[in-house]
Amino acid sequence: MTASVGSEPLEALELRRSLVADLHARPAPRLRAPATVAFAAFLPAAGAAGRDRAHDREIAEQVEAEVSVEEHHEFASFTAVVPGAQDTLFDPARVPLTPEWAAAVGGPRAVAVLVEVVPMPADDAAVVALAKQHLDSTDLLISQVQEQQITVATDFRIDGQGCLRFLVMASPEMGPGRTGRVVRRLIEIETYRALSMLTLESAGTIGSRLGELEPRLLDLAERIDDESHSTEDTLHELLRVSAQLEELASRHDFRFAAARAYEAIVADRLAALGETRFGGRQLLREFLALRYTPAMRTVASTERRLARVIERAGRAGDLLRARVDVARSAQNAQLLESLDRRSEAQLRLQHAVEGLSVVAVSYYAVGLLGYVLAPVAHWADIDKEYLQAAAIPVVLLFVWLGVRRVRHGLHGPTRS
């Protein structure tokens, strides 16, 4: 008997609870300025399905700070929060996720982000001065979010510790929840941007392979209508090219799908920031539109190119198979025609043999009949040869009818 709560089965209730709990599975940290947030994402060495979650949690406990672990399909992430002020912003000694600790996690570190949350400076000049003090002024980006209550600065460059830096300057009116959500969105923008850019390397590999396979496919397509080339050999070569294309698609399909999903997340998080311009400076979304968006278009273009080449290979294969089928049909027609001629010859031979058989059987029958008619010829005083000669037409008729009846019984009616 199934347990239930009210009229709802217990299993359905537990399922609903787990689905609702998933909405609260990754809450944003609650941050008050000043604070330091360190984030790192690791790709499993054995693939997404080979992540050891117990090991991840054990590693997180070794950090001397509050660390949250999140398990994603492709990667595992660690977020460490260190509250309180520090003498120097972005001080490597204050970062709890050290390179030595990262080496013990296992798998390559795909993303590393360091965020400093500080109180909002008194004026815009002080904001720019603080940002230039800790970030590269050449590519410095500054924008305002959350109705200008938070100012974000970054240079989208990797520092000596392998981290990308964000400087978040929050006004005193900002609550810890809103500040934490802004920091989380910034981290997610960099995380999914970096992970989607991994596909750019795959796109380069695929582009090189397509550069090798497309000329072969073109050559095979030209050979479809060339009678000097064996259709069977062309088809086998085309199948080899198609197999290599399918292997490319299967090997990189996950990366392409992940890139599309990650790009959508980046766009969503940028929109959620609600950026406004600070002192005429470039926005984060504008910077990414100039550099990140073309990379994703290259990835999408490579995916479409691969799909088109596979489609062309499929059409060429269909044409070749049709040509092979037509050739085989012609061969079968010739074979059937040859069998018809052979059957006709056999039928004529059979008729000739039947005629000879009638003569031969009649000859022996008349010979035997001579013995039977000998007493009659002696009694009637008639020469036996005359009686045999008179019986020949009758014997021939009966033998021919007998042979015909036997043939009809064995094969049915045939042409005589």
Side-chain angles (χ1 to χ4, degrees), residues 18 31 52 57 89 93 95 102 104 129 164 178 199 211-212 220 223 238 265 274 307 318 324 354 361 371 383 410:
S18 65
L31 300 173
D52 187 349
R57 292 181 175 85
L89 296 181
V95 179
L164 188 141
R178 295 179 67 185
T199 314
E212 300 171 0
L220 292 171
R223 287 163 57 179
L238 180 60
I265 293 175
D318 292 339
V324 170
E354 287 178 358
V361 172
Y371 292 104
D383 196 352
L410 293 176

Side-chain angles (χ1 to χ4, degrees), residues 32-248:
R32 292 187 181 276
T36 302
V37 180
F39 174 88
F42 295 84
L43 295 174
R51 193 83 215 172
D52 187 349
R53 298 185 178 184
H55 172 71
D56 291 340
R57 292 181 175 85
E58 181 181 344
I59 288 293
E61 293 175 356
Q62 299 176 8
V63 179
E64 296 179 358
E66 179 186 349
V67 178
S68 61
V69 183
E70 296 180 6
E71 301 289 348
H72 303 262
H73 177 68
E74 187 180 10
F75 63 95
S77 65
F78 301 82
T79 305
V81 177
V82 181
Q86 58 176 312
D87 296 334
T88 304
L89 296 181
F90 302 107
D91 183 4
R94 185 177 166 90
V95 179
L97 307 183
T98 64
E100 294 76 17
W101 171 86
V105 176
R109 185 176 63 169
V111 183
V113 179
L114 187 60
V115 182
E116 288 288 0
V117 183
V118 299
M120 181 77 75
D123 52 38
D124 291 353
V127 168
V128 175
L130 182 61
K132 286 185 176 180
Q133 181 182 354
H134 299 285
L135 300 170
D136 188 343
S137 59
T138 304
D139 296 316
L140 183 61
L141 303 172
I142 304 177
S143 63
Q144 293 178 317
V145 299
Q146 293 293 311
E147 300 175 351
Q148 302 181 354
Q149 296 297 307
I150 290 181
T151 301
V152 177
T154 184
D155 55 10
F156 274 108
R157 290 189 177 276
I158 305 299
D159 65 10
Q161 301 297 315
C163 297
L164 188 141
R165 297 177 174 184
F166 284 102
L167 181 59
V168 175
M169 294 162 274
S171 65
E173 292 80 9
M174 284 297 294
R178 295 179 67 185
T179 304
R181 286 192 291 273
V182 169
V183 170
R184 183 178 183 85
R185 286 166 187 158
L186 292 172
I187 290 174
E188 289 178 340
I189 288 171
E190 170 57 17
T191 299
Y192 292 109
R193 181 206 64 81
L195 290 173
S196 59
M197 290 290 285
L198 294 176
T199 314
L200 192 60
E201 181 180 358
S202 298
T205 301
I206 292 175
S208 299
R209 291 289 293 128
L210 290 179
E212 300 171 0
L213 294 175
E214 280 185 304
R216 291 174 59 188
L217 182 60
L218 177 61
D219 178 65
L220 292 171
E222 292 174 347
R223 287 163 57 179
I224 292 177
D225 197 34
D226 190 349
E227 298 292 341
S228 63
H229 291 90
S230 169
T231 304
E232 298 284 351
D233 293 342
T234 303
L235 180 58
H236 291 159
E237 180 64 22
L238 180 60
L239 290 177
R240 282 192 288 270
V241 173
S242 298
Q244 294 178 45
L245 289 171
E246 289 296 340
E247 187 269 339
L248 272 179

Side-chain angles (χ1 to χ4, degrees), residues 12-29:
L13 178 61
E14 291 299 325
L15 175 61
R16 287 199 302 110
R17 283 176 175 170
S18 65
L19 294 176
V20 172
D22 188 63
L23 298 175
H24 309 276
R26 293 190 290 270

Side-chain angles (χ1 to χ4, degrees), residues 320-351:
L320 270 175
R321 282 187 287 270
R323 181 178 171 184
V324 170
D325 291 341
V326 169
R328 287 176 177 173
S329 297
Q331 292 175 355
N332 292 337
Q334 293 176 357
L335 180 60
L336 290 175
E337 184 179 353
S338 174
L339 291 175
D340 286 342
R341 290 195 299 267
R342 186 174 300 176
S343 298
E344 186 71 22
Q346 289 177 347
L347 182 61
R348 292 174 181 173
L349 179 61
Q350 179 182 348
H351 288 169

Side-chain angles (χ1 to χ4, degrees), residues 350-406:
Q350 179 182 348
H351 288 169
V353 170
E354 287 178 358
L356 294 175
S357 299
V358 169
V359 172
V361 172
S362 298
Y363 172 78
Y364 288 107
V366 170
L368 292 174
L369 189 61
Y371 292 104
V372 175
L373 294 177
V376 177
H378 178 73
W379 174 76
D381 194 19
I382 302 173
D383 196 352
K384 181 180 71 173
E385 284 76 9
Y386 289 111
L387 291 177
Q388 286 180 314
I392 287 175
V394 178
V395 172
L396 284 172
L397 176 61
F398 277 99
V399 171
W400 179 79
L401 291 174
V403 170
R404 185 179 179 85
R405 184 172 181 180
V406 171

